[in-house]
Amino acid sequence: MLLVSAPILGVPEKAALSKVIDSGWLTMGEQVRAFEEAFAHMHGAEDCVAVNSCTAALHLILHALGIGPGDEVLVPSMTFVATANAVLYVGATPVFVDIESADVPLMSIVEAEARCTARTKAVILVHFAGYLANREEWQKFARARGLQIIEDAAHAPGLKEVGTFGAAAAFSFYGNKNMTTAEGGAVIARDPKLLETIRQARGHGMTTGTHQRLNSRTPQYDVTMLGFNYRMDEMRAAIGLVQLQNLQEWNEIRRILVMLYRRLIAKHCPAVTVPFHEPRTSAYHIMPVLLPRYADRQDVIDELRRQGIQTTIHYPPVHQMTLYRELFPGTYLPRTEDFAQRELTVPLHPQITAPVVESVAAALATAVHSCAQAGTAA
Ligand SMILES: *Cc1c(COP(=O)(O)O)cnc(C)c1O
């Protein structure tokens, strides 16, 4: 089965893991610190905080910004549920905002404007599929209303612009992301004080960590704030350091594969459209396509599966999940809903070759054409 995404792991990751195991120190220590420095450097940031997931990163950012009960946070619904869940964790209210269009399935600034109230404190931008939101427009929007910008950058690691939009950015190193530590995440924040608050909240709000106390005269520590256990460990950081060395090259391979997909889909099945048709900076995390309205998506999924090609859907809208329908009944986002009904994600990862892209595009064309014929026959 050709998978939608697959991690690339090999001898260097195994060697890095062995070294950590032989060292006898498994919890947050030198590897984590080295990973933080390397990850920050790649993004042109002074520093960053490694955590155990992007969800934890988002929670820590909202918590450190003091967002809580009574506050509203603008979020897209065309995202993974974690984006909105993090807002609920701090007791604030996620306010779902529609996408711009089927071609630009990023949060609409016009819709965001319409959903702003006196209680709106922040906006979480998701760089959907790796394509960056418009920084200048969002900064203007946020400045005019005194809002914090938080980036959910789970899809966009490795881009210099990420982490420069506003207060902070959250990254994911889950197994299906552009680089992985199995589970893992990171926070980049521009304000060093905010980053230090996040660093402390990551480890129970303690003033020092276990590793720091090892190298210190005093075994004492204090707890000066409510914190969490969102630490990364040495094994994950060691894998992350190896993965990070490949990230730029992997993103470049993704870019080339996406260009090829676009060309082949336009040629062989123009009824299928590929979002973001205008060039835009991207980390090319996934390859979303939009099926024509006459196509039965399940039939297309089945046909591709018969040919050994996995597909997925990004995303079932968060506002339509049972939990969120119960919490916020009556939310209606027409463009998000239409996009979600027609979207299909085809395989994209750096181990895919050009002939594989050709076979996926051909299989997609066959599946969609047979839908068209079935439609004509009916
Ligand atoms: C994967 C993902 C997350 C969650 O990441 P974890 O590391 O699994 O917590 C959050 N937001 C988006 C957009 C994602 O794709």
Side-chain angles (χ1 to χ4, degrees):
M1 190 74 148
L2 174 65
L3 299 177
V4 163
S5 72
I8 303 178
L9 298 159
V11 172
E13 281 83 359
K14 285 184 193 170
L17 270 182
S18 290
K19 255 171 78 183
V20 170
I21 290 164
D22 291 343
S23 80
W25 192 277
L26 303 182
T27 57
M28 202 166 70
E30 283 165 16
Q31 296 289 320
V32 172
R33 189 61 200 133
F35 177 69
E36 288 176 340
E37 283 168 2
F39 193 79
H41 183 255
M42 176 172 285
H43 294 87
E46 281 293 310
D47 204 350
C48 82
V49 173
V51 291
N52 57 18
S53 71
C54 179
T55 308
L58 289 166
H59 185 190
L60 287 170
I61 293 167
L62 289 161
H63 180 260
L65 287 172
I67 291 167
D71 296 336
E72 294 176 356
V73 179
L74 303 172
V75 294
S77 180
M78 183 44 59
T79 183
F80 183 59
V81 67
T83 315
N85 282 353
V87 178
L88 292 181
Y89 294 167
V90 295
T93 304
V95 174
F96 292 106
V97 180
D98 212 345
I99 56 172
E100 234 177 277
S101 65
D103 185 50
V104 182
L106 299 171
M107 190 192 288
S108 156
I109 210 158
V110 176
E111 292 295 320
E113 170 111 61
R115 307 255 170 175
C116 270
T117 72
R119 292 180 296 280
T120 312
K121 290 288 153 59
V123 54
I124 305 182
L125 300 176
V126 175
H127 304 303
F128 180 82
Y131 297 84
L132 293 190
N134 187 317
R135 182 174 57 184
E136 283 65 41
E137 280 181 16
W138 281 107
Q139 286 178 338
K140 213 171 104 200
F141 171 86
R143 221 178 297 121
R145 287 160 194 81
L147 307 185
Q148 301 281 1
I149 297 178
I150 299 163
E151 293 167 73
D152 178 339
H155 295 191
L159 299 178
K160 272 264 189 294
E161 296 87 340
V162 171
T164 67
F165 279 58
F171 296 83
S172 175
F173 311 126
Y174 185 63
N176 63 7
K177 299 303 204 282
N178 288 29
M179 61 164 280
T180 188
T181 61
E183 299 279 359
V187 178
I188 285 178
R190 284 207 288 187
D191 174 6
K193 263 173 55 196
L194 185 70
L195 195 67
E196 284 323 298
T197 303
I198 288 168
R199 194 182 303 283
Q200 197 182 337
R202 164 186 65 179
H204 304 285
M206 291 160 71
T207 49
T208 60
T210 317
H211 191 259
Q212 282 166 293
R213 286 195 299 281
L214 175 76
N215 300 314
S216 149
R217 267 181 53 234
T218 61
Q220 260 93 318
Y221 65 84
D222 193 10
V223 171
T224 56
M225 62 163 79
L226 176 63
F228 311 90
N229 178 359
Y230 284 161
R231 294 181 303 244
M232 183 177 264
D233 60 69
E234 292 289 274
M235 288 167 288
R236 288 186 166 81
I239 293 175
L241 278 164
V242 177
Q243 294 268 307
L244 201 53
Q245 288 175 11
N246 299 306
L247 182 61
Q248 296 302 335
E249 187 191 328
W250 287 342
N251 283 356
E252 176 59 13
I253 296 171
R254 288 174 180 275
R255 187 185 71 80
I256 291 164
L257 295 173
V258 169
M259 295 307 129
L260 183 58
Y261 262 128
R262 285 182 187 278
R263 200 148 49 73
L264 293 172
I265 290 170
K267 190 167 161 207
H268 299 300
C269 44
V272 172
T273 56
V274 180
F276 301 107
H277 105 284
E278 296 234 320
R280 183 185 280 262
T281 306
S282 180
Y284 304 97
H285 172 53
I286 52 170
M287 180 67 206
V289 304
L290 274 189
L291 301 180
R293 286 177 211 287
Y294 61 73
D296 180 319
R297 181 167 61 183
Q298 192 53 53
D299 287 349
V300 176
I301 292 169
D302 291 342
E303 176 55 28
L304 290 175
R305 177 167 279 275
R306 254 194 303 281
Q307 301 200 34
I309 301 163
Q310 186 205 16
T311 53
T312 54
I313 292 162
H314 289 87
Y315 283 97
V318 177
H319 76 282
Q320 291 184 319
M321 298 287 174
T322 301
L323 169 69
Y324 282 92
R325 271 196 287 123
E326 285 172 2
L327 286 173
F328 309 104
T331 308
Y332 174 53
L333 305 173
R335 291 194 290 272
T336 296
E337 291 172 25
D338 175 63
F339 183 87
Q341 273 167 23
R342 296 197 289 132
E343 195 275 346
L344 196 64
T345 302
V346 297
L348 176 67
H349 57 77
Q351 283 178 321
I352 289 180
T353 59
V356 171
V357 170
E358 284 165 21
S359 66
V360 174
L364 187 63
T366 308
V368 171
H369 290 155
S370 64
C371 290
Q373 272 147 22
T376 316

